[in-house]
Amino acid sequence: MKNLRYLDNVSTLVLDDEKCVGCSLCTEVCPHAVFEMAQNRALIVDLNACMECGACVTNCPSGAISVSPGVG
Amino acid sequence: MDEKDGCGQDGQSTPGVNIMASMEGRGPSCLNVDKDALAGHEKPGFKLCSYVDSFSETHAGRIPIVKSGLGKEDLFSTVYVRWGIRRHDYKVVPGLYGIGHPDRASEVLVTANFKLTFDHLRRALPHISAWILVLDTKGINVWCAAGKGTFSTRELVKRIEACSLEKIVDHKRVIVPQLGATGVSAADVKKQSGFRVVYGPIRAKDIPAFLKNNRTADKPMRQVTFTLYERFVLTPVELKNALKPAFIAALVLFVVSGVGPGGFSFSGAWERGLLAVLALVTGIFSGGFVTPVLLPYIPFREFAAKGIIAGSVFAILLMVAISSAINGMAGFGALFLFSMAISSFLAMNFTGTTPFTSPSGVEKEMKRFIPVQVVALAVSSGLWIYSAF
């Protein structure tokens, strides 16, 4: 997907590091490798690749992630 | 006998098509395999699905074992569905199936009941023994259904219970395709059903490697792609969906093209109308086919802008081709703008089909480009009527 990128600075993805429990499920379900693990915490490493599909939000056990796209 | 010949031909080139059965000498032809499968299982008014190979008796009842290879019927209907024909009624019955020789230790692969999805999965498992748990997604693929809430925690839990999965396997684990994660909460499934969700790879073709690797997916297996081929196979539906609005637009174009110095003229409507319809067709081809296929090679990130670029190129080519039939700059300008606006709109429409556009980005793009497209259309109609005088 390196040669196919959509608009920058539009994703509404937010990660609250305080709430992250380090389960790494978000790195598993994200289809665009937006997250990486660093020191047992999830980190957003490629925000502009996020397509707001919500897979991470649905699977985060501690409610640390949110996305709030409009109607689309 | 037809079927046997057809299978034989396919078997030469494609591994895993249903000739495999007869190549291994298990049956003289596909037709006979089907009859064997049904022996003793006939029910009045029921017909065996062509993808069922046999039945397996389990503690939870009789489970159909499906073929890995696709038959002629499956391949033909795949072509129809790619063109959007009978697409909304292309389903398999939800429930439990098996493939290969599944036993109590075999994995349970969860999938959607869109038959294209189901076919894709079984074709990827030629030498695998597993259970296949088909959720009722109303005939929609895994990712879209997960987004719309039919491929969901609730449906998965319900289906695990309905199929008495605990009587089928000794373990407590289901493999859910990664793209289903949008609709499925692994924690909630565990809480409600006792089964642990393991997210499998995005693409069915990676399942054998995933299973071999102790149910772990490497990074490429977890990332979506949108290759030239993947974009290409999506274009027939784009074109087909444009058909009905295009037909209505063509009628309007003929009427508008008839307006001229003497009021309305039928000869004007026909001659000038044909030119306008050519511009329409060019715009549809550019925005609905060329832009999606050449997506990464066309400048700009906004699809509408990509559509303007591709649309302009094709509009200019069209102008050159029909230059002798148009008199005056107004006519050229009208057709150019019209073709370009159609291309831009259809390209923008393709954002809804790709696996990488965010709703927030699409909203931003639409706010910016719909006004551009509307103005181009308005100016184009004005010029077109003006050019008749």
PDB file of all heavy atoms in Angstrom, chain B residues 204-236:
ATOM      1  N   ALA B 204      -7.497 -15.470   2.388  1.00  0.00           N
ATOM      2  CA  ALA B 204      -7.708 -16.906   2.578  1.00  0.00           C
ATOM      3  C   ALA B 204      -6.489 -17.699   2.110  1.00  0.00           C
ATOM      4  O   ALA B 204      -6.138 -18.721   2.698  1.00  0.00           O
ATOM      5  CB  ALA B 204      -8.952 -17.347   1.826  1.00  0.00           C
ATOM      6  N   LYS B 205      -5.801 -17.221   1.097  1.00  0.00           N
ATOM      7  CA  LYS B 205      -4.669 -17.982   0.552  1.00  0.00           C
ATOM      8  C   LYS B 205      -3.516 -18.131   1.561  1.00  0.00           C
ATOM      9  O   LYS B 205      -2.668 -18.997   1.410  1.00  0.00           O
ATOM     10  CB  LYS B 205      -4.172 -17.371  -0.759  1.00  0.00           C
ATOM     11  CG  LYS B 205      -3.455 -16.043  -0.613  1.00  0.00           C
ATOM     12  CD  LYS B 205      -2.858 -15.614  -1.957  1.00  0.00           C
ATOM     13  CE  LYS B 205      -2.225 -14.237  -1.911  1.00  0.00           C
ATOM     14  NZ  LYS B 205      -1.023 -14.124  -1.096  1.00  0.00           N
ATOM     15  N   ASP B 206      -3.512 -17.266   2.589  1.00  0.00           N
ATOM     16  CA  ASP B 206      -2.463 -17.357   3.604  1.00  0.00           C
ATOM     17  C   ASP B 206      -2.818 -18.323   4.735  1.00  0.00           C
ATOM     18  O   ASP B 206      -1.996 -18.548   5.632  1.00  0.00           O
ATOM     19  CB  ASP B 206      -2.191 -15.971   4.213  1.00  0.00           C
ATOM     20  CG  ASP B 206      -1.508 -15.027   3.225  1.00  0.00           C
ATOM     21  OD1 ASP B 206      -0.758 -15.532   2.358  1.00  0.00           O
ATOM     22  OD2 ASP B 206      -1.730 -13.807   3.298  1.00  0.00           O
ATOM     23  N   ILE B 207      -4.049 -18.867   4.718  1.00  0.00           N
ATOM     24  CA  ILE B 207      -4.474 -19.728   5.828  1.00  0.00           C
ATOM     25  C   ILE B 207      -3.580 -20.965   6.005  1.00  0.00           C
ATOM     26  O   ILE B 207      -3.162 -21.252   7.132  1.00  0.00           O
ATOM     27  CB  ILE B 207      -5.967 -20.117   5.694  1.00  0.00           C
ATOM     28  CG1 ILE B 207      -6.835 -18.878   5.924  1.00  0.00           C
ATOM     29  CG2 ILE B 207      -6.349 -21.204   6.695  1.00  0.00           C
ATOM     30  CD1 ILE B 207      -8.309 -19.094   5.684  1.00  0.00           C
ATOM     31  N   PRO B 208      -3.236 -21.681   4.923  1.00  0.00           N
ATOM     32  CA  PRO B 208      -2.361 -22.840   5.126  1.00  0.00           C
ATOM     33  C   PRO B 208      -1.054 -22.477   5.834  1.00  0.00           C
ATOM     34  O   PRO B 208      -0.648 -23.164   6.780  1.00  0.00           O
ATOM     35  CB  PRO B 208      -2.108 -23.343   3.700  1.00  0.00           C
ATOM     36  CG  PRO B 208      -3.319 -22.922   2.942  1.00  0.00           C
ATOM     37  CD  PRO B 208      -3.712 -21.598   3.529  1.00  0.00           C
ATOM     38  N   ALA B 209      -0.427 -21.362   5.444  1.00  0.00           N
ATOM     39  CA  ALA B 209       0.826 -20.938   6.078  1.00  0.00           C
ATOM     40  C   ALA B 209       0.584 -20.524   7.528  1.00  0.00           C
ATOM     41  O   ALA B 209       1.385 -20.822   8.417  1.00  0.00           O
ATOM     42  CB  ALA B 209       1.446 -19.783   5.299  1.00  0.00           C
ATOM     43  N   PHE B 210      -0.532 -19.855   7.748  1.00  0.00           N
ATOM     44  CA  PHE B 210      -0.909 -19.414   9.105  1.00  0.00           C
ATOM     45  C   PHE B 210      -1.070 -20.616  10.042  1.00  0.00           C
ATOM     46  O   PHE B 210      -0.587 -20.615  11.168  1.00  0.00           O
ATOM     47  CB  PHE B 210      -2.216 -18.620   9.002  1.00  0.00           C
ATOM     48  CG  PHE B 210      -2.858 -18.253  10.307  1.00  0.00           C
ATOM     49  CD1 PHE B 210      -2.427 -17.139  11.020  1.00  0.00           C
ATOM     50  CD2 PHE B 210      -3.916 -19.001  10.817  1.00  0.00           C
ATOM     51  CE1 PHE B 210      -3.030 -16.788  12.220  1.00  0.00           C
ATOM     52  CE2 PHE B 210      -4.532 -18.645  12.020  1.00  0.00           C
ATOM     53  CZ  PHE B 210      -4.079 -17.547  12.718  1.00  0.00           C
ATOM     54  N   LEU B 211      -1.730 -21.659   9.550  1.00  0.00           N
ATOM     55  CA  LEU B 211      -1.966 -22.846  10.369  1.00  0.00           C
ATOM     56  C   LEU B 211      -0.653 -23.593  10.645  1.00  0.00           C
ATOM     57  O   LEU B 211      -0.396 -24.047  11.749  1.00  0.00           O
ATOM     58  CB  LEU B 211      -2.972 -23.780   9.691  1.00  0.00           C
ATOM     59  CG  LEU B 211      -4.399 -23.230   9.547  1.00  0.00           C
ATOM     60  CD1 LEU B 211      -5.291 -24.241   8.836  1.00  0.00           C
ATOM     61  CD2 LEU B 211      -4.989 -22.862  10.904  1.00  0.00           C
ATOM     62  N   LYS B 212       0.164 -23.659   9.621  1.00  0.00           N
ATOM     63  CA  LYS B 212       1.441 -24.352   9.738  1.00  0.00           C
ATOM     64  C   LYS B 212       2.329 -23.664  10.766  1.00  0.00           C
ATOM     65  O   LYS B 212       3.105 -24.284  11.474  1.00  0.00           O
ATOM     66  CB  LYS B 212       2.123 -24.309   8.364  1.00  0.00           C
ATOM     67  CG  LYS B 212       2.970 -25.528   8.058  1.00  0.00           C
ATOM     68  CD  LYS B 212       3.502 -25.396   6.653  1.00  0.00           C
ATOM     69  CE  LYS B 212       4.132 -26.661   6.160  1.00  0.00           C
ATOM     70  NZ  LYS B 212       4.515 -26.509   4.748  1.00  0.00           N
ATOM     71  N   ASN B 213       2.175 -22.337  10.836  1.00  0.00           N
ATOM     72  CA  ASN B 213       3.010 -21.494  11.681  1.00  0.00           C
ATOM     73  C   ASN B 213       2.407 -21.314  13.076  1.00  0.00           C
ATOM     74  O   ASN B 213       2.533 -20.246  13.676  1.00  0.00           O
ATOM     75  CB  ASN B 213       3.164 -20.134  10.982  1.00  0.00           C
ATOM     76  CG  ASN B 213       4.473 -19.470  11.312  1.00  0.00           C
ATOM     77  OD1 ASN B 213       5.342 -20.080  11.921  1.00  0.00           O
ATOM     78  ND2 ASN B 213       4.598 -18.215  10.917  1.00  0.00           N
ATOM     79  N   ASN B 214       1.719 -22.349  13.573  1.00  0.00           N
ATOM     80  CA  ASN B 214       1.082 -22.291  14.897  1.00  0.00           C
ATOM     81  C   ASN B 214       0.136 -21.115  15.064  1.00  0.00           C
ATOM     82  O   ASN B 214       0.167 -20.416  16.075  1.00  0.00           O
ATOM     83  CB  ASN B 214       2.134 -22.256  16.002  1.00  0.00           C
ATOM     84  CG  ASN B 214       2.809 -23.586  16.132  1.00  0.00           C
ATOM     85  OD1 ASN B 214       2.157 -24.632  15.976  1.00  0.00           O
ATOM     86  ND2 ASN B 214       4.107 -23.565  16.370  1.00  0.00           N
ATOM     87  N   ARG B 215      -0.666 -20.884  14.055  1.00  0.00           N
ATOM     88  CA  ARG B 215      -1.688 -19.836  14.102  1.00  0.00           C
ATOM     89  C   ARG B 215      -1.112 -18.454  14.370  1.00  0.00           C
ATOM     90  O   ARG B 215      -1.662 -17.662  15.121  1.00  0.00           O
ATOM     91  CB  ARG B 215      -2.760 -20.171  15.149  1.00  0.00           C
ATOM     92  CG  ARG B 215      -3.549 -21.435  14.855  1.00  0.00           C
ATOM     93  CD  ARG B 215      -4.613 -21.682  15.885  1.00  0.00           C
ATOM     94  NE  ARG B 215      -4.081 -21.881  17.214  1.00  0.00           N
ATOM     95  CZ  ARG B 215      -3.642 -23.061  17.665  1.00  0.00           C
ATOM     96  NH1 ARG B 215      -3.690 -24.133  16.910  1.00  0.00           N
ATOM     97  NH2 ARG B 215      -3.172 -23.145  18.884  1.00  0.00           N
ATOM     98  N   THR B 216       0.030 -18.174  13.762  1.00  0.00           N
ATOM     99  CA  THR B 216       0.520 -16.800  13.819  1.00  0.00           C
ATOM    100  C   THR B 216       0.676 -16.283  12.393  1.00  0.00           C
ATOM    101  O   THR B 216       1.088 -17.014  11.496  1.00  0.00           O
ATOM    102  CB  THR B 216       1.871 -16.670  14.554  1.00  0.00           C
ATOM    103  OG1 THR B 216       2.729 -17.691  14.067  1.00  0.00           O
ATOM    104  CG2 THR B 216       1.730 -16.795  16.054  1.00  0.00           C
ATOM    105  N   ALA B 217       0.317 -15.000  12.234  1.00  0.00           N
ATOM    106  CA  ALA B 217       0.394 -14.370  10.916  1.00  0.00           C
ATOM    107  C   ALA B 217       1.578 -13.421  10.909  1.00  0.00           C
ATOM    108  O   ALA B 217       1.810 -12.710  11.888  1.00  0.00           O
ATOM    109  CB  ALA B 217      -0.895 -13.596  10.639  1.00  0.00           C
ATOM    110  N   ASP B 218       2.334 -13.429   9.829  1.00  0.00           N
ATOM    111  CA  ASP B 218       3.421 -12.448   9.752  1.00  0.00           C
ATOM    112  C   ASP B 218       2.850 -11.115   9.266  1.00  0.00           C
ATOM    113  O   ASP B 218       1.671 -11.015   8.930  1.00  0.00           O
ATOM    114  CB  ASP B 218       4.575 -12.947   8.884  1.00  0.00           C
ATOM    115  CG  ASP B 218       4.130 -13.308   7.485  1.00  0.00           C
ATOM    116  OD1 ASP B 218       3.071 -12.800   7.061  1.00  0.00           O
ATOM    117  OD2 ASP B 218       4.828 -14.090   6.815  1.00  0.00           O
ATOM    118  N   LYS B 219       3.679 -10.081   9.243  1.00  0.00           N
ATOM    119  CA  LYS B 219       3.186  -8.731   8.986  1.00  0.00           C
ATOM    120  C   LYS B 219       2.467  -8.581   7.623  1.00  0.00           C
ATOM    121  O   LYS B 219       1.384  -8.013   7.573  1.00  0.00           O
ATOM    122  CB  LYS B 219       4.322  -7.714   9.128  1.00  0.00           C
ATOM    123  CG  LYS B 219       3.836  -6.403   9.715  1.00  0.00           C
ATOM    124  CD  LYS B 219       4.981  -5.445   9.998  1.00  0.00           C
ATOM    125  CE  LYS B 219       4.438  -4.017  10.127  1.00  0.00           C
ATOM    126  NZ  LYS B 219       5.472  -3.010  10.226  1.00  0.00           N
ATOM    127  N   PRO B 220       3.049  -9.085   6.532  1.00  0.00           N
ATOM    128  CA  PRO B 220       2.342  -8.939   5.249  1.00  0.00           C
ATOM    129  C   PRO B 220       0.954  -9.581   5.246  1.00  0.00           C
ATOM    130  O   PRO B 220       0.042  -9.089   4.588  1.00  0.00           O
ATOM    131  CB  PRO B 220       3.266  -9.647   4.250  1.00  0.00           C
ATOM    132  CG  PRO B 220       4.607  -9.637   4.878  1.00  0.00           C
ATOM    133  CD  PRO B 220       4.373  -9.703   6.358  1.00  0.00           C
ATOM    134  N   MET B 221       0.782 -10.671   6.006  1.00  0.00           N
ATOM    135  CA  MET B 221      -0.528 -11.320   6.062  1.00  0.00           C
ATOM    136  C   MET B 221      -1.571 -10.440   6.738  1.00  0.00           C
ATOM    137  O   MET B 221      -2.763 -10.650   6.590  1.00  0.00           O
ATOM    138  CB  MET B 221      -0.448 -12.624   6.867  1.00  0.00           C
ATOM    139  CG  MET B 221       0.231 -13.772   6.172  1.00  0.00           C
ATOM    140  SD  MET B 221       0.043 -15.225   7.237  1.00  0.00           S
ATOM    141  CE  MET B 221       1.341 -16.269   6.588  1.00  0.00           C
ATOM    142  N   ARG B 222      -1.099  -9.480   7.535  1.00  0.00           N
ATOM    143  CA  ARG B 222      -2.009  -8.632   8.309  1.00  0.00           C
ATOM    144  C   ARG B 222      -2.331  -7.313   7.606  1.00  0.00           C
ATOM    145  O   ARG B 222      -3.035  -6.481   8.151  1.00  0.00           O
ATOM    146  CB  ARG B 222      -1.398  -8.332   9.687  1.00  0.00           C
ATOM    147  CG  ARG B 222      -1.256  -9.562  10.578  1.00  0.00           C
ATOM    148  CD  ARG B 222      -2.106  -9.439  11.816  1.00  0.00           C
ATOM    149  NE  ARG B 222      -2.176 -10.633  12.627  1.00  0.00           N
ATOM    150  CZ  ARG B 222      -3.174 -11.538  12.550  1.00  0.00           C
ATOM    151  NH1 ARG B 222      -4.150 -11.370  11.690  1.00  0.00           N
ATOM    152  NH2 ARG B 222      -3.185 -12.595  13.332  1.00  0.00           N
ATOM    153  N   GLN B 223      -1.753  -7.086   6.437  1.00  0.00           N
ATOM    154  CA  GLN B 223      -1.985  -5.806   5.764  1.00  0.00           C
ATOM    155  C   GLN B 223      -2.747  -5.986   4.454  1.00  0.00           C
ATOM    156  O   GLN B 223      -2.436  -6.874   3.669  1.00  0.00           O
ATOM    157  CB  GLN B 223      -0.649  -5.110   5.478  1.00  0.00           C
ATOM    158  CG  GLN B 223       0.002  -4.616   6.758  1.00  0.00           C
ATOM    159  CD  GLN B 223       1.232  -3.799   6.482  1.00  0.00           C
ATOM    160  OE1 GLN B 223       1.242  -2.985   5.575  1.00  0.00           O
ATOM    161  NE2 GLN B 223       2.267  -4.017   7.253  1.00  0.00           N
ATOM    162  N   VAL B 224      -3.735  -5.109   4.234  1.00  0.00           N
ATOM    163  CA  VAL B 224      -4.485  -5.209   2.985  1.00  0.00           C
ATOM    164  C   VAL B 224      -3.648  -4.698   1.819  1.00  0.00           C
ATOM    165  O   VAL B 224      -2.754  -3.868   1.988  1.00  0.00           O
ATOM    166  CB  VAL B 224      -5.826  -4.441   2.996  1.00  0.00           C
ATOM    167  CG1 VAL B 224      -6.807  -5.044   3.960  1.00  0.00           C
ATOM    168  CG2 VAL B 224      -5.625  -2.980   3.254  1.00  0.00           C
ATOM    169  N   THR B 225      -3.952  -5.212   0.649  1.00  0.00           N
ATOM    170  CA  THR B 225      -3.287  -4.745  -0.570  1.00  0.00           C
ATOM    171  C   THR B 225      -4.388  -4.270  -1.509  1.00  0.00           C
ATOM    172  O   THR B 225      -5.568  -4.521  -1.270  1.00  0.00           O
ATOM    173  CB  THR B 225      -2.529  -5.899  -1.248  1.00  0.00           C
ATOM    174  OG1 THR B 225      -3.449  -6.976  -1.436  1.00  0.00           O
ATOM    175  CG2 THR B 225      -1.351  -6.361  -0.418  1.00  0.00           C
ATOM    176  N   PHE B 226      -3.994  -3.581  -2.541  1.00  0.00           N
ATOM    177  CA  PHE B 226      -4.977  -3.159  -3.547  1.00  0.00           C
ATOM    178  C   PHE B 226      -4.239  -3.142  -4.888  1.00  0.00           C
ATOM    179  O   PHE B 226      -3.956  -2.103  -5.450  1.00  0.00           O
ATOM    180  CB  PHE B 226      -5.540  -1.783  -3.186  1.00  0.00           C
ATOM    181  CG  PHE B 226      -6.876  -1.492  -3.798  1.00  0.00           C
ATOM    182  CD1 PHE B 226      -7.812  -2.500  -4.002  1.00  0.00           C
ATOM    183  CD2 PHE B 226      -7.227  -0.193  -4.166  1.00  0.00           C
ATOM    184  CE1 PHE B 226      -9.061  -2.232  -4.554  1.00  0.00           C
ATOM    185  CE2 PHE B 226      -8.464   0.095  -4.708  1.00  0.00           C
ATOM    186  CZ  PHE B 226      -9.381  -0.927  -4.899  1.00  0.00           C
ATOM    187  N   THR B 227      -3.930  -4.352  -5.313  1.00  0.00           N
ATOM    188  CA  THR B 227      -3.109  -4.514  -6.506  1.00  0.00           C
ATOM    189  C   THR B 227      -3.894  -4.194  -7.779  1.00  0.00           C
ATOM    190  O   THR B 227      -5.115  -4.059  -7.740  1.00  0.00           O
ATOM    191  CB  THR B 227      -2.632  -5.966  -6.620  1.00  0.00           C
ATOM    192  OG1 THR B 227      -3.796  -6.797  -6.711  1.00  0.00           O
ATOM    193  CG2 THR B 227      -1.815  -6.390  -5.415  1.00  0.00           C
ATOM    194  N   LEU B 228      -3.184  -4.104  -8.875  1.00  0.00           N
ATOM    195  CA  LEU B 228      -3.820  -3.828 -10.164  1.00  0.00           C
ATOM    196  C   LEU B 228      -4.938  -4.827 -10.426  1.00  0.00           C
ATOM    197  O   LEU B 228      -6.042  -4.457 -10.806  1.00  0.00           O
ATOM    198  CB  LEU B 228      -2.768  -3.914 -11.275  1.00  0.00           C
ATOM    199  CG  LEU B 228      -3.282  -3.466 -12.642  1.00  0.00           C
ATOM    200  CD1 LEU B 228      -2.946  -2.002 -12.876  1.00  0.00           C
ATOM    201  CD2 LEU B 228      -2.714  -4.304 -13.768  1.00  0.00           C
ATOM    202  N   TYR B 229      -4.682  -6.100 -10.172  1.00  0.00           N
ATOM    203  CA  TYR B 229      -5.708  -7.112 -10.413  1.00  0.00           C
ATOM    204  C   TYR B 229      -6.897  -6.931  -9.473  1.00  0.00           C
ATOM    205  O   TYR B 229      -8.053  -7.014  -9.889  1.00  0.00           O
ATOM    206  CB  TYR B 229      -5.124  -8.527 -10.259  1.00  0.00           C
ATOM    207  CG  TYR B 229      -6.172  -9.598 -10.419  1.00  0.00           C
ATOM    208  CD1 TYR B 229      -6.682  -9.894 -11.685  1.00  0.00           C
ATOM    209  CD2 TYR B 229      -6.690 -10.278  -9.322  1.00  0.00           C
ATOM    210  CE1 TYR B 229      -7.669 -10.856 -11.846  1.00  0.00           C
ATOM    211  CE2 TYR B 229      -7.681 -11.242  -9.472  1.00  0.00           C
ATOM    212  CZ  TYR B 229      -8.160 -11.525 -10.733  1.00  0.00           C
ATOM    213  OH  TYR B 229      -9.150 -12.467 -10.880  1.00  0.00           O
ATOM    214  N   GLU B 230      -6.590  -6.629  -8.202  1.00  0.00           N
ATOM    215  CA  GLU B 230      -7.676  -6.432  -7.230  1.00  0.00           C
ATOM    216  C   GLU B 230      -8.547  -5.235  -7.615  1.00  0.00           C
ATOM    217  O   GLU B 230      -9.749  -5.238  -7.404  1.00  0.00           O
ATOM    218  CB  GLU B 230      -7.101  -6.227  -5.820  1.00  0.00           C
ATOM    219  CG  GLU B 230      -6.579  -7.521  -5.204  1.00  0.00           C
ATOM    220  CD  GLU B 230      -5.754  -7.311  -3.942  1.00  0.00           C
ATOM    221  OE1 GLU B 230      -5.088  -6.268  -3.810  1.00  0.00           O
ATOM    222  OE2 GLU B 230      -5.767  -8.204  -3.104  1.00  0.00           O
ATOM    223  N   ARG B 231      -7.918  -4.213  -8.197  1.00  0.00           N
ATOM    224  CA  ARG B 231      -8.701  -3.049  -8.633  1.00  0.00           C
ATOM    225  C   ARG B 231      -9.490  -3.381  -9.887  1.00  0.00           C
ATOM    226  O   ARG B 231     -10.652  -3.016 -10.030  1.00  0.00           O
ATOM    227  CB  ARG B 231      -7.773  -1.853  -8.894  1.00  0.00           C
ATOM    228  CG  ARG B 231      -7.005  -1.385  -7.676  1.00  0.00           C
ATOM    229  CD  ARG B 231      -6.341  -0.036  -7.911  1.00  0.00           C
ATOM    230  NE  ARG B 231      -5.373  -0.026  -8.993  1.00  0.00           N
ATOM    231  CZ  ARG B 231      -4.091  -0.326  -8.870  1.00  0.00           C
ATOM    232  NH1 ARG B 231      -3.601  -0.661  -7.692  1.00  0.00           N
ATOM    233  NH2 ARG B 231      -3.281  -0.274  -9.904  1.00  0.00           N
ATOM    234  N   PHE B 232      -8.853  -4.119 -10.777  1.00  0.00           N
ATOM    235  CA  PHE B 232      -9.474  -4.450 -12.057  1.00  0.00           C
ATOM    236  C   PHE B 232     -10.772  -5.248 -11.887  1.00  0.00           C
ATOM    237  O   PHE B 232     -11.779  -4.938 -12.504  1.00  0.00           O
ATOM    238  CB  PHE B 232      -8.479  -5.227 -12.929  1.00  0.00           C
ATOM    239  CG  PHE B 232      -9.062  -5.757 -14.194  1.00  0.00           C
ATOM    240  CD1 PHE B 232      -9.334  -4.905 -15.257  1.00  0.00           C
ATOM    241  CD2 PHE B 232      -9.380  -7.102 -14.323  1.00  0.00           C
ATOM    242  CE1 PHE B 232      -9.906  -5.389 -16.428  1.00  0.00           C
ATOM    243  CE2 PHE B 232      -9.946  -7.599 -15.484  1.00  0.00           C
ATOM    244  CZ  PHE B 232     -10.209  -6.737 -16.537  1.00  0.00           C
ATOM    245  N   VAL B 233     -10.746  -6.266 -11.002  1.00  0.00           N
ATOM    246  CA  VAL B 233     -11.947  -7.106 -10.868  1.00  0.00           C
ATOM    247  C   VAL B 233     -13.121  -6.349 -10.240  1.00  0.00           C
ATOM    248  O   VAL B 233     -14.253  -6.820 -10.297  1.00  0.00           O
ATOM    249  CB  VAL B 233     -11.712  -8.408 -10.057  1.00  0.00           C
ATOM    250  CG1 VAL B 233     -10.751  -9.326 -10.772  1.00  0.00           C
ATOM    251  CG2 VAL B 233     -11.255  -8.131  -8.635  1.00  0.00           C
ATOM    252  N   LEU B 234     -12.864  -5.183  -9.668  1.00  0.00           N
ATOM    253  CA  LEU B 234     -13.953  -4.410  -9.069  1.00  0.00           C
ATOM    254  C   LEU B 234     -14.626  -3.482 -10.076  1.00  0.00           C
ATOM    255  O   LEU B 234     -15.697  -2.949  -9.818  1.00  0.00           O
ATOM    256  CB  LEU B 234     -13.416  -3.577  -7.896  1.00  0.00           C
ATOM    257  CG  LEU B 234     -12.853  -4.387  -6.722  1.00  0.00           C
ATOM    258  CD1 LEU B 234     -12.254  -3.456  -5.684  1.00  0.00           C
ATOM    259  CD2 LEU B 234     -13.939  -5.257  -6.089  1.00  0.00           C
ATOM    260  N   THR B 235     -13.986  -3.283 -11.228  1.00  0.00           N
ATOM    261  CA  THR B 235     -14.513  -2.295 -12.168  1.00  0.00           C
ATOM    262  C   THR B 235     -15.818  -2.697 -12.862  1.00  0.00           C
ATOM    263  O   THR B 235     -16.631  -1.817 -13.133  1.00  0.00           O
ATOM    264  CB  THR B 235     -13.467  -1.896 -13.227  1.00  0.00           C
ATOM    265  OG1 THR B 235     -12.994  -3.076 -13.880  1.00  0.00           O
ATOM    266  CG2 THR B 235     -12.310  -1.157 -12.591  1.00  0.00           C
ATOM    267  N   PRO B 236     -16.052  -3.986 -13.163  1.00  0.00           N
ATOM    268  CA  PRO B 236     -17.327  -4.302 -13.823  1.00  0.00           C
ATOM    269  C   PRO B 236     -18.538  -3.814 -13.033  1.00  0.00           C
ATOM    270  O   PRO B 236     -19.477  -3.260 -13.612  1.00  0.00           O
ATOM    271  CB  PRO B 236     -17.311  -5.826 -13.925  1.00  0.00           C
ATOM    272  CG  PRO B 236     -15.877  -6.191 -13.942  1.00  0.00           C
ATOM    273  CD  PRO B 236     -15.195  -5.182 -13.069  1.00  0.00           C
TER     274      PRO B 236
END
